[in-house]
Every structure is written in structure tokens, then in C-alpha cells.
Amino acid sequence: MAGTSTVAVHADRNVHPSHAVAPPIYQTATFWADCADTFARVAAESRGKDFYTRYGNPNHAQVSAVVAELEGTETAMVTASGMAALTTSVLGLVSAGDHVIGQKATYGGTASVLLNLLPRLGISTTVVDQTDSEAFERALTPKTRLILVESPSNPLLQVTDLSGVAALAKAHNVITLADNTFATPLNSRPADLGIDVVWHSATKYLNGHTDVSAGVLAGPAEILNRIWDTGVLTGATLGPFDAWLLLRGMRTLPLRVERHNANGLAIAEALENHPAVAKVHYPGLPSHPQHELARKQMSGFGGVLALELNGGFDAADAFLGRLKYSRRSASLGGVESLAVHPASMWRGMLSAQQIAESGVPLGLVRLAAGTEDTADLVADVMAAADEIAAISA
């Protein structure tokens, strides 16, 4: 494979080629065919690009070509959001009576799918501590059909042993689905470790500019065709212009991730021993309990970190209010730094009991370092932490 920067720029060159250097936006709902045989062929094609945009679009195909090459998978597909990628996958791969295993620490939307949506559909679920590799095996039942993993996890940055989970699943004929949003394919390629299907909220790092809501899936054609069949029915379709914006964002993914990695590590190191901070969660720190596993399956550690403030909920809120560059906002992965209080954000998705059971401390702040100058971001968080420490003294 060529280098990742080359792949990000050229992997889609032969998808719907034209003489335009910048790909055109195929802002059309439908396509015409020049004969009955052609029409019949494109109408039956999975993940096509020349029939009807709900089925596929040239801009979708271009994004998919780049994602598949970056993730090292046979193929890829796009959806209207990261949650659409997840829910379409789950609905396409499991049925009533099946069993799904997920992680205890995971994104709130994923947790809600596991705890709230799937049980309503007659699908049983079990969530496990993903830091305990044997927990996945203990949770297996004869009806287990799918294992959902996320590494690093949102928001606690816990690391899952992807190769261990993949080997276990393959031995029991269970499909694995990994959320690679935090790591990106630049820092981790789950398919290389045996994971079947990889998904992203492409709204985040893949797009990188906070102006698109999108999801992507990458994996074997046989599995993605099953998911695509469901996606056609649910209509979780990404608009052509959004797909074009996503493609444009991915051109600079390798350049951006390099800065995100540097900024995330620098902030984590600066805050680790600050008196206002009880704990910093970042897999790039040697103090992280799974640092060695992270080093084994990641080439970089990303721009997201979480810190627990001494003083709990109120201290976390006060810290966010004192940041100059990191805006108080959901999401991550853009060129601008963002910060959020997960315990506040997830109240709309999970009950108070479910939040408590997730293990997310009330004083936890998730910082998503952007691509600003490293020194400026470090100075900003240190100033905010100093003020919190002075108030508490």
C-alpha cells in the first residue's frame, strides 16, 4: 500500500473518473440508463453509484474507496451519521432472539442502543468490562451473534484487546464490529487485528471540519451487503454534498491526525500532576493501566483525553467555563478544540442509573484537542486548572 497521505488523496481516482481535479458533486437523486440491460444491472447492484442516491452515489463511492484503503478492508460504505452506521449494522446483522455483547464503557448512543433499543426488539444484550479480556468469553451464549467494541472508549479512553476479542469471536462464529472513531485508521486498523467490520462517526476526525454529519463502515463485501440491504430500507442516506465535504476533509486526515496526536499527548502530560486534577485518562501516558496494550495496537494515541477534576461536577463545570480555546461543545475531531462534560451531555440518552453504572465520574471532562498550536492549548488548560486549584485552596 502507498503511504497514507497518498492514499487519502488518490485512492478514489478511478471511481467515476472525470477530467476534473476536484471531484464533481453529483447532486442528483436518480440516474438514467441507456438501455434496459444496464438499468437492470445497476438496479440490482449492492452499494452502487449510478441508479438512485438512496442506493448509492458517485460521491459515496469515492469516500468508500478512500476509507476501505485506509482501513485495509475489502470495501466500505457511507451512512447519514455515525449512529446510522451503528444502528443499520446491528439491525442488519441480528434478529429477535439473538444476543449481543457490548462494552460497559462506551459512547452514550452506543450504550443506549444496547440497553434501550435492542431489548425492545427482542434482542438480549450483555455489557462487560472491556479491560478484562476474559469477560467477553464469559458473556458468550449459544445465541451470541455480534460483539460491539470501541477502542479507545468514549469518554474514559479505555483500550480493548482487539485481537483477543476477534480471535474469540471467530472461534464461535460471531461477528465483531469496532468503533474506530477515536483512533482513526491512522492510529489503529482493527481489521488488521481480525475485527470483521469497522465503523466511524465520520463527523469527527475523518471529516475534520465540524461541518458534516456522516458515518462510514468498512469490512468484507459479504457483510457490508447485508448491512446495505437494511440501510436501503431505513433510508439512512448521506447527501451527495455532505459526501463531497467528507471526501475533501479526508484528503488532509494524515496531516491533521499528526497534530491531534501531538496536542493530545502534550496536554495529557501537562495536566497529569496538576493539583486540580485527580486523574488523566490518556492511553499515551505510561501511567495509563493499558498503555502497553495501546502501544501494541496503536501507532498514535489521538487528540482526545479525559480528566477527573478534584471537586466533582461543579469543578468540571467551572473548568470548562475558564477555557479560552476549547469551546464547550459535543463532538470532537475537528480542527478546533472542544470540551464537554459527559455526565451533563448523556442525561438525554441514559438514565441516571445507567450513567452511574457506566463508570463515568461526575467530575470528568473530555477534552478534544484540535490542530491549534500546542503551546497555546497547553497554556490554556493549565491556566484554567490553576484557577480551579486556587478556588479549592
Side-chain angles (χ1 to χ4, degrees), residues 290-314:
Q290 298 165 293
H291 177 64
E292 290 305 316
L293 174 61
R295 288 184 59 192
K296 180 180 177 180
Q297 63 186 35
M298 301 179 72
S299 57
F301 305 106
V304 180
L305 63 144
L307 57 145
E308 295 179 40
L309 276 300
N310 290 318
F313 192 102
D314 291 338

Side-chain angles (χ1 to χ4, degrees), residues 252-272:
T252 60
L253 177 66
L255 305 176
R256 290 184 285 104
V257 168
E258 183 177 355
R259 176 59 71 89
H260 287 299
N261 288 345
N263 284 349
L265 179 60
I267 294 171
E269 290 176 337
L271 289 173
E272 185 174 23

Side-chain angles (χ1 to χ4, degrees), residues 204-215:
K204 313 301 193 296
Y205 285 110
L206 296 189
N207 168 254
H209 294 83
T210 322
D211 55 11
V212 164
S213 176

Side-chain angles (χ1 to χ4, degrees), residues 10-365:
H10 295 291
D12 63 312
R13 176 178 283 190
N14 295 320
V15 178
H16 226 279
S18 73
H19 290 288
V21 174
I25 304 170
Y26 292 89
Q27 192 66 49
T28 181
T30 192
F31 301 81
W32 63 273
D34 54 11
C35 68
D37 288 343
T38 300
F39 187 79
R41 176 180 58 79
V42 297
E45 185 179 11
S46 295
R47 296 171 291 102
K49 59 183 183 294
D50 294 307
F51 172 61
Y52 188 65
T53 288
R54 179 159 59 90
Y55 287 61
N57 178 287
N59 296 126
H60 295 173
Q62 290 162 335
V63 170
S64 297
V66 176
V67 170
E69 189 75 12
L70 289 174
E71 287 287 3
T73 60
E74 181 182 3
T75 191
M77 60 178 279
V78 300
T79 63
S81 67
M83 284 304 299
L86 173 63
T87 55
T88 303
S89 298
V90 173
L91 294 176
L93 297 175
V94 298
S95 304
D98 290 342
H99 175 247
V100 176
I101 300 173
Q103 298 185 173
K104 181 179 179 182
T106 190
Y107 170 57
T110 304
S112 189
V113 168
L114 288 163
L115 300 174
N116 300 325
L117 176 62
L118 294 185
R120 288 170 44 202
L121 304 178
I123 300 165
S124 62
T125 63
T126 303
V127 293
V128 302
D129 176 0
Q130 69 272 28
T131 64
D132 178 4
S133 297
E134 295 180 357
F136 289 94
E137 185 169 9
R138 292 194 298 270
L140 280 171
T141 77
K143 294 183 177 181
T144 304
R145 298 292 179 268
L146 181 66
I147 298 177
L148 303 181
V149 293
E150 177 183 334
S151 185
S153 69
N154 182 2
L156 290 173
L157 285 300
Q158 294 178 332
V159 181
T160 305
D161 182 357
L162 297 179
S163 60
V165 171
L168 172 69
K170 289 185 187 304
H172 292 83
N173 198 31
V174 174
I175 294 174
T176 47
L177 180 64
D179 182 350
N180 201 32
T181 300
F182 271 30
T184 82
L186 276 298
N187 289 329
S188 178
R189 299 214 308 180
D192 289 349
L193 301 173
I195 295 294
D196 295 308
V197 179
V198 180
W199 72 278
H200 292 257
S201 172
T203 309
K204 313 301 193 296
Y205 285 110
L206 296 189
N207 168 254
H209 294 83
T210 322
D211 55 11
V212 164
S213 176
V216 298
L217 291 149
E222 185 274 328
I223 297 179
L224 260 59
N225 287 347
R226 292 168 58 187
I227 297 171
W228 176 84
D229 286 341
T230 299
V232 169
L233 298 178
T234 60
T237 307
L238 185 65
F241 180 55
D242 287 341
W244 184 87
L245 284 173
L246 174 56
L247 181 66
R248 186 176 68 166
M250 288 196 301
R251 302 303 196 201
T252 60
L253 177 66
L255 305 176
R256 290 184 285 104
V257 168
E258 183 177 355
R259 176 59 71 89
H260 287 299
N261 288 345
N263 284 349
L265 179 60
I267 294 171
E269 290 176 337
L271 289 173
E272 185 174 23
N273 296 312
H274 195 283
V277 178
K279 187 175 183 179
V280 174
H281 301 263
Y282 185 73
L285 292 176
S287 59
H288 190 285
Q290 298 165 293
H291 177 64
E292 290 305 316
L293 174 61
R295 288 184 59 192
K296 180 180 177 180
Q297 63 186 35
M298 301 179 72
S299 57
F301 305 106
V304 180
L305 63 144
L307 57 145
E308 295 179 40
L309 276 300
N310 290 318
F313 192 102
D314 291 338
D317 184 66
F319 177 82
L320 286 173
R322 285 165 170 76
L323 293 173
K324 176 181 178 181
Y325 296 118
S326 296
R327 298 178 180 179
R328 189 195 297 254
S329 176
S331 200
L332 56 105
V335 294
E336 64 289 303
S337 293
L338 301 176
V340 73
H341 186 196
S344 297
M345 181 174 66
W346 289 357
R347 284 177 174 175
M349 294 182 285
L350 301 172
S351 68
Q353 180 179 346
Q354 288 172 338
I355 293 174
E357 291 174 350
S358 74
V360 176
L362 294 179
L364 191 80
V365 169

